[in-house]
């Protein structure tokens, strides 16, 4: 069956490379003009072979460039010719018509069955119906932006999403930079400041990127070319890094808003499933070719034969969902809270690791390449497979295996559920005039995933988990007791450095993972253990090994050749804003940023002195504990020569948040949704939290602990005030990331606590704050009532703009008043009471008498402020001067506190007051 997987990888590679010519043509690679002994250029030889004709002229010249470009890259690709090239004929032999290179390059004028497979997948990924493709195939290069294919840069899908706004008729203003993927490049920029105005400059940018891509391709370990599935996983990441911002479609007056990578990835997934479906059904090659050709024959599109092909449920969309993530990460109940930092980090990593391994289990069981996994973010994945009975039987068996693992190691508190939905070719059409079959498909996918949440572990089935529980409980050893960490699993392992503490294998591995993550940035997934930084517990039959980059290509190169090495992943975090994220290995964004000690200064030692007792961390890479984070916002002030004191509250802020209306965004946000756009949108949403956020924390908010972040949500812990500022920074960055689209935003809940509270309690308080933020209601200028798009802090829920004003304007202004006029703590506490009165007075549900009573804060504030002013200017001999200064001080305080503060924000002004209190607390 490995031959079937290798054949599927070759189909996927042909599909991934089918539009490589767009990259090469826009870079104007000089090899295309090389001439043979007869003086004919390579391009001129290829155009009649690969390019379609329309009204007597050749169109889509990129197809000719695809063949040339694949030939140029051949030294870095797996073998493309030889005796074992199934399902393709060996390249450069007498059957070369059906070679891999022809399957990739002939997608605009297909002839053989395999060429029609790639061509059909290409069209379905773009949402084309028969008529739409016929128009596209005969069109000139050009976009709705009026730019050429050399000068146009990729639009952002985020700018086009509409949920509560009228359709956008204005020109789209934002573009992505044509550069390798990095934390800064994923943000769009204004087109007028970036898009080239002439073709020569546009071609030069493509040429520089092309050269970087060729160099990057050479970094894949040579030994890994012997394992097609392993190499293809590496290549896909390389393709992502360099093609994530290359516009895929620049003809037919299209909006160039899908990248070459996202389009090619979805084409590869559909092509493999389509080829495998026909192979499984034993269709003769000529018969299958004729059926696919019939789909796109506009003269026969209404015939029963064509309709049958369009509506045949060829594809199976498989969804995986890790439920109970918070219970998994925050599982407690034991007697020890030691090694919390390593445990938390290890568990957070484990969530992504389990999801990846579950997806890998499905891919391997179905003999599918990594490219068939179209979506993978935040504990969810989507895989495209052929719709066959054998596939469904395999999925049921995999679900039982996943259930057994989670029942054994988490006792049913968490799990990964699989669901699958048949789909036909017609379901991928974007449709016209508002009717969108693909939109309906997306709706069914979301509904199915929601239903699956209520069918966990097959509890209603006769062979449910009760018998398994009895088996696992028999392993209980009374001498070791239950796990000292989760308080429920049988303990089998002694916790390192703690001789009398016993834990479960999973807990021990999670702590070990937390330790390895401070040292290693590469992960090896193998079929048998390497006994090299290997975790003790296999995950769904795979062994998890940590390694350095040198060991993968050197010591473990033979593991790839022997097929023991299934995957090799680079999970390093971004270290700089602009450099590429490509290091020669498949990338997985499964690591999260955490605060580390670094090199301690005397200032740091003084800050931590009462909790460290003179003990230094074992390594600069050692993670900080929550106790240390709680101290990181305190500041040392000098009281006298040689005498200092620390001010600021010793506390943490826990922040939870997620993108608002995510289901609506994916189901209804785009006017013409397609499979490629859906995949791109998912990837780009995920990238903000897994590429930019770790880089941001590492460079600007170093004392942040990421519990989890990815997909559309995040859970962070850090020093109380720094985390408040991080929330605002994230919101402002996200607004830029989505091209300032007012329909795209997230809500967040912030909870400030002492550091000694259990993690589960921290999560509960932050979750309550998030739910409060989600419940805020406002009305737009178009009359729609919106909820969400808010933040809750100190129990007060405000729009993000109000939160911005309170932190960046009101707090500094209030702090200045305290320093210049010596406002007393008692006076500020009275101001807190006035904010409460103002807040209650705005409650229209209260009786009128109560509203009037609460409005009395105005007179009370005036009286209290006059008393304060008189006390501050005592000793003035000139009565007129005294009265003048008193009035001036009253006016200053009334303007800033009463008008700009309490009247403007009501009870939410507490955010500014509490922030000031806690910053100055000794």
């Amino acid at each position: 069956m490995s031959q079937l997987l290798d054949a599927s990888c070759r189909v996927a590679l042909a599909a991934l490379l089918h539009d490589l010519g767009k990259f090469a043509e826009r870079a104007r690679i000089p090899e295309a003009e090389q001439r043979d002994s007869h003086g004919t250029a390579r391009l001129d030889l290829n155009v009649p072979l690969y390019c379609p004709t329309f009204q007597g002229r050749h169109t889509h010249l990129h197809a000719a460039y695809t063949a040339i470009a694949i030939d140029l890259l051949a030294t870095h690709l797996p073998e493309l010719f030889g005796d074992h090239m199934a399902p393709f004929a060996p390249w450069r032999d007498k059957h070369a018509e059906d070679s891999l290179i022809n399957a990739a390059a002939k997608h605009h004028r297909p002839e053989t069955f395999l060429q029609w497979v790639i061509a059909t997948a290409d069209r379905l990924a773009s949402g084309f119906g028969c008529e739409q493709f016929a128009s596209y195939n005969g069109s000139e290069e050009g976009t709705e932006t009026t730019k050429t294919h050399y000068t146009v840069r990729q639009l952002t899908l985020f700018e086009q999403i509409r949920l509560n706004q009228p359709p956008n008729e204005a020109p789209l203003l934002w573009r992505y930079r044509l550069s390798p993927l990095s934390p800064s490049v994923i943000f769009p920029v204004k087109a007028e400041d970036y898009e080239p105005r002439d073709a020569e400059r546009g071609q030069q940018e493509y040429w520089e990127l092309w050269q970087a891509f060729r160099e990057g391709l050479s970094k894949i370990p040579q030994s890994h070319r012997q394992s097609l599935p392993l190499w293809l996983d590496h290549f896909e990441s390389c393709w992502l890094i360099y093609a994530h911002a290359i516009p895929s479609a620049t003809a037919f007056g299209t909006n160039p808003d899908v990248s070459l990578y996202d389009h090619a990835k979805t084409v590869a997934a559909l092509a493999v499933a389509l080829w495998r479906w026909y192979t499984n059904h034993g269709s003769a090659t000529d018969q299958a070719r004729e059926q696919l050709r019939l789909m796109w024959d506009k003269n026969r599109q209404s015939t029963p034969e064509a309709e049958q092909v369009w509506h045949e449920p060829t594809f199976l969309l498989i969804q995986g969902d890790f439920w109970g993530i918070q219970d998994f990460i925050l599982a407690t109940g034991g007697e020890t809270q030691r090694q919390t930092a390593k445990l938390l980090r290890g568990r957070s990593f484990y969530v992504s690791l389990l999801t990846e391994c579950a997806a890998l289990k499905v891919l391997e069981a179905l003999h599918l390449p990594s490219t068939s996994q179209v979506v993978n973010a935040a504990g969810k994945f989507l895989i495209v497979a052929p719709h066959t009975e054998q596939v469904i039987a395999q999925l049921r068996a995999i679900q039982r295996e996943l259930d057994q693992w989670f029942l054994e190691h988490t006792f049913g508190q968490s799990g990964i559920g699989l669901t699958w939905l048949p789909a036909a070719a017609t379901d991928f059409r974007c449709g016209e005039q508002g009717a969108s079959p693909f939109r309906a498909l997306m709706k069914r996918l979301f509904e199915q995933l929601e239903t699956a949440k209520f069918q966990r572990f097959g509890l209603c089935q006769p062979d449910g988990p009760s018998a398994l529980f009895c088996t696992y409980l028999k392993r209980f050893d009374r001498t070791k007791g239950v796990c000292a960490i989760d308080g429920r699993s049988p303990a089998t392992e002694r916790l390192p450095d703690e001789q009398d503490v016993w834990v479960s294998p999973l807990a021990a591995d999670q702590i070990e993972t937390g330790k390895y993550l401070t040292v290693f940035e590469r992960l090896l997934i193998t079929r048998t253990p390497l006994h090299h930084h290997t975790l003790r517990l296999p995950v769904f039959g795979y062994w998890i090994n940590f390694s350095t980059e040198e060991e993968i290509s050197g010591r473990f190169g033979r593991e790839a050749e022997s097929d023991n090495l299934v995957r090799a992943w680079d999970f390093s975090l971004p270290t700089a804003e602009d450099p590429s994220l490509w290091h020669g290995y498949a990338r997985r964004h499964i690591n999260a940023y955490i605060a580390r000690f670094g090199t301690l200064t005397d200032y740091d030692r003084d800050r931590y002195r009462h909790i460290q007792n003179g003990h230094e961390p074992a390594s600069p890479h050692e993670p900080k504990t929550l106790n240390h984070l709680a101290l990181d916002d305190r500041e040392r002030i000098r009281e006298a020569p040689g005498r200092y004191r620390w001010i600021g509250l010793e506390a943490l802020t826990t922040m939870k948040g997620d993108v608002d209306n995510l289901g609506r965004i994916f189901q209804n946000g785009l006017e013409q949704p397609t499979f490629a756009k859906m995949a791109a949108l998912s990837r780009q949403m995920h990238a903000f939290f897994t590429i930019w956020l770790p880089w941001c924390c590492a460079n600007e908010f170093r004392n942040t602990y990421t519990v989890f972040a990815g997909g559309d949500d995040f859970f962070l812990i850090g020093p109380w005030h720094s985390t408040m500022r991080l929330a605002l920074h994230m919101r402002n960055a996200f607004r830029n990331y989505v091209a300032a689209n007012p329909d795209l935003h997230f809500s967040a809940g912030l909870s400030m606590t002492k550091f000694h509270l259990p993690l589960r309690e921290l999560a509960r308080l932050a979750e309550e704050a998030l739910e409060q933020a989600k419940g805020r209601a406002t009305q737009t200028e178009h009359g729609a009532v919106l909820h969400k798009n808010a933040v809750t802090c100190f129990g007060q829920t405000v729009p993000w703009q109000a939160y911005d004003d309170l932190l960046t304007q009101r707090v500094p202004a209030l702090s200045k008043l305290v320093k210049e006029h010596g406002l007393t703590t008692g006076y500020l506490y009275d101001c807190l009471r006035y904010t409460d009165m103002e807040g209650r007075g705005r409650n229209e549900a209260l009786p009128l008498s109560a509203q009037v009573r609460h409005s009395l804060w105005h007179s009370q504030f005036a009286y209290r402020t006059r008393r304060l002013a008189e006390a501050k200017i005592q000793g003035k001999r000139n009565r007129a001067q005294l009265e003048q200064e008193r009035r001036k001080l009253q006016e200053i305080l009334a303007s800033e506190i009463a008008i700009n503060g309490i009247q403007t924000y009501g009870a939410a002004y507490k955010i500014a007051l509490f922030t000031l209190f806690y910053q100055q607390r000794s």
Side-chain angles (χ1 to χ4, degrees), residues 481-498:
V482 297
C483 175
I485 288 177
D486 69 24
R488 59 174 177 251
S489 305
T492 60
E493 310 286 331
R494 183 181 280 113
L495 197 63
D497 305 323
E498 298 187 39

Side-chain angles (χ1 to χ4, degrees), residues 443-718:
K443 185 174 184 293
R444 295 200 302 274
L445 284 171
F446 272 85
E447 289 173 347
Q448 186 188 55
L449 207 57
E450 286 299 312
T451 302
K453 293 179 180 180
F454 301 99
Q455 300 172 341
R456 299 169 180 173
F457 293 119
L459 294 176
C460 298
Q461 302 300 322
D463 57 344
S466 56
L468 291 173
F469 276 127
C470 295
T471 302
Y472 301 143
L473 289 174
K474 289 178 182 179
R475 302 176 186 176
F476 180 72
D477 184 340
R478 292 186 178 182
T479 62
K480 298 174 182 177
V482 297
C483 175
I485 288 177
D486 69 24
R488 59 174 177 251
S489 305
T492 60
E493 310 286 331
R494 183 181 280 113
L495 197 63
D497 305 323
E498 298 187 39
Q499 296 299 317
D500 298 326
V501 179
W502 292 83
V503 298
S504 66
L506 180 59
D509 272 353
Q510 289 167 345
I511 293 173
E512 197 79 352
T513 298
K515 181 181 73 173
Y516 287 152
L517 291 176
T518 65
V519 182
F520 301 109
E521 293 183 328
R522 305 291 184 271
L523 195 70
L524 307 181
I525 310 296
T526 57
R527 304 188 194 283
T528 61
L530 298 178
H531 304 294
H532 180 82
H533 309 298
T534 302
L535 299 183
R536 54 180 58 75
L537 190 67
V539 176
F540 315 139
Y542 300 112
W543 292 90
I544 312 302
N545 315 266
F546 290 84
S547 178
T548 63
E549 180 175 341
E550 293 74 17
E551 291 172 321
I552 299 178
S553 55
R555 176 177 176 182
F556 298 125
R558 285 172 296 181
E559 302 294 335
E561 297 173 6
S562 67
D563 198 40
N564 187 40
L565 181 60
V566 184
R567 293 288 189 269
W569 291 331
D570 168 17
F571 59 84
S572 60
L573 294 175
T575 56
E577 186 176 13
D578 288 322
S580 161
L581 297 176
W582 174 243
H583 303 123
Y585 302 91
R587 280 198 65 85
R588 291 296 187 274
H589 301 294
I590 57 179
N591 200 3
Y593 178 82
I594 64 163
R596 307 188 191 198
F597 280 104
T599 302
L600 291 184
T601 64
D602 290 338
Y603 188 89
D604 296 322
R605 293 186 182 92
D606 190 32
R607 188 202 304 270
Y608 302 139
R609 68 183 185 279
H610 71 279
I611 61 172
Q612 292 202 164
N613 298 319
H615 298 292
E616 294 276 330
S619 163
H621 300 292
E622 186 174 331
K624 289 185 177 182
T625 69
L626 298 185
N627 307 43
H628 290 88
L629 294 183
L631 293 167
D632 278 331
D633 273 347
R634 288 168 61 83
E635 294 183 359
R636 189 172 67 178
I637 61 173
R638 182 182 180 186
E639 291 186 314
R643 192 174 71 190
Y644 302 89
R645 70 183 177 94
W646 288 87
I647 62 170
L649 189 65
E650 182 178 343
L652 299 169
T653 288
T654 305
M655 173 168 58
K656 293 193 71 175
D658 60 47
V659 175
D660 300 319
N661 309 311
L662 188 72
R664 289 182 61 203
I665 291 170
F666 276 90
Q667 294 180 60
N668 303 308
L670 293 171
E671 184 177 357
Q672 288 191 319
T674 67
F675 194 32
K677 288 180 182 180
M678 181 275 293
L681 204 57
S682 175
R683 176 185 64 81
Q684 291 171 331
M685 191 73 78
H686 187 58
F688 180 82
F689 299 105
T690 56
I691 296 178
W692 177 82
L693 181 57
W695 173 85
C696 169
C697 290
N699 287 272
E700 300 183 55
F701 296 89
R702 300 178 65 85
N703 294 315
T704 303
Y705 210 114
T706 308
V707 181
F708 60 76
D712 71 313
D713 59 353
F714 51 92
F715 180 1
L716 310 172
I717 303 175

Side-chain angles (χ1 to χ4, degrees), residues 120 124 270 273-283 287-288 291-292 294-295 301 303-317 384-389 392 421-429 441 444:
T120 298
L124 294 180
L270 292 170
L274 191 61
W275 171 70
R276 288 279 297 276
W277 187 87
Y278 277 104
T279 301
N280 183 79
H281 282 73
S283 300
Q287 179 186 357
Q291 288 180 347
L292 294 177
L294 188 62
M295 288 177 62
Q301 61 175 312
T303 63
E305 295 84 358
E307 287 292 315
Q308 181 180 352
V309 178
W310 273 104
H311 290 86
E312 180 73 48
T314 308
F315 306 98
L316 195 68
L317 304 184
V384 183
H387 179 213
T388 68
E389 290 300 322
I392 293 174
L421 183 70
T426 190
D427 292 319
F428 292 92
R429 293 184 298 116
L441 177 63
R444 295 200 302 274

